[in-house]
Amino acid sequence: YQRRVHGGSWFDHVLDAVHNRNQPNCLFLTYEDMIKNLDDVLLQIESFTGYHLTKEEWDLIKPRFGFGFMKKYEKMFDFTLMYPTRAKDKSFIRKGKIGDHENYLKEHHLKEIETKYRNMMLDKALTYKF
């Protein structure tokens, strides 16, 4: 079974980033890392960009990195609105929880995705916990 995805395959997108992760103009971050420790990720961004913000500046912008901000301004983050296959009654941004996809996919879909992930990401510097 294979379906076409607007914007291309997630696997191709991530593999391209993984292959370029050591380039000086590439900062590789994951949503899971942001959820687990946003402060560390923000420090990585600060170091990568060369910008050094004061505590007051961080306190001002930090909420914009959170799920609540994305949910509040969902239409600004939802690129799928432009596609005719977009379900009009569905939210692009669900709950912001790691692993929540398991609540939306059937067991055989999860196994299919995990198998594809293991085959495509084998020997790559990216691990994902299913």
Side-chain angles (χ1 to χ4, degrees), residues 38-82:
L38 181 59
D39 288 337
D40 280 354
V41 171
L42 294 177
L43 289 173
Q44 288 177 44
I45 294 169
E46 183 180 56
S47 175
F48 179 77
T49 61
Y51 290 106
H52 299 287
L53 303 177
T54 65
K55 181 185 177 331
E56 292 77 21
E57 290 169 324
W58 274 124
D59 290 344
L60 182 67
I61 68 167
K62 187 175 174 181
R64 293 174 181 246
F65 285 87
F67 177 77
F69 183 87
M70 287 185 70
K71 189 68 175 169
K72 182 176 180 180
Y73 297 99
E74 180 171 356
K75 289 184 180 174
M76 296 177 71
F77 295 98
D78 187 358
F79 65 90
T80 65
L81 289 171
M82 68 182 91

Side-chain angles (χ1 to χ4, degrees), residues 7 18 20 23 28 33 35 40-41 54 57 61 71 85-86 90 93 98 105 118 125:
V18 168
N20 289 295
Q23 298 299 316
F28 194 88
D33 289 341
I35 292 296
D40 280 354
V41 171
T54 65
E57 290 169 324
I61 68 167
K71 189 68 175 169
T85 57
R86 172 79 163 103
K90 300 287 183 185
I93 300 173
I98 297 171
L105 300 172
R118 301 271 180 244

Side-chain angles (χ1 to χ4, degrees), residues 78-116:
D78 187 358
F79 65 90
T80 65
L81 289 171
M82 68 182 91
Y83 300 116
T85 57
R86 172 79 163 103
K88 301 206 183 325
D89 61 341
K90 300 287 183 185
S91 176
F92 173 70
I93 300 173
R94 294 186 308 259
K95 297 176 189 168
K97 304 286 183 206
I98 297 171
D100 190 47
H101 63 284
E102 294 174 2
N103 296 318
Y104 293 85
L105 300 172
K106 296 184 187 302
E107 185 65 30
H108 71 278
H109 291 131
L110 291 169
K111 288 187 184 305
E112 199 174 313
I113 291 169
E114 184 172 355
T115 298
K116 185 170 183 173

Side-chain angles (χ1 to χ4, degrees), residues 11-22 26-28:
F11 294 99
D12 293 340
H13 171 75
V14 172
L15 277 174
D16 184 52
V18 168
H19 289 304
N20 289 295
R21 72 187 177 284
N22 294 321
C26 182
L27 176 62
F28 194 88

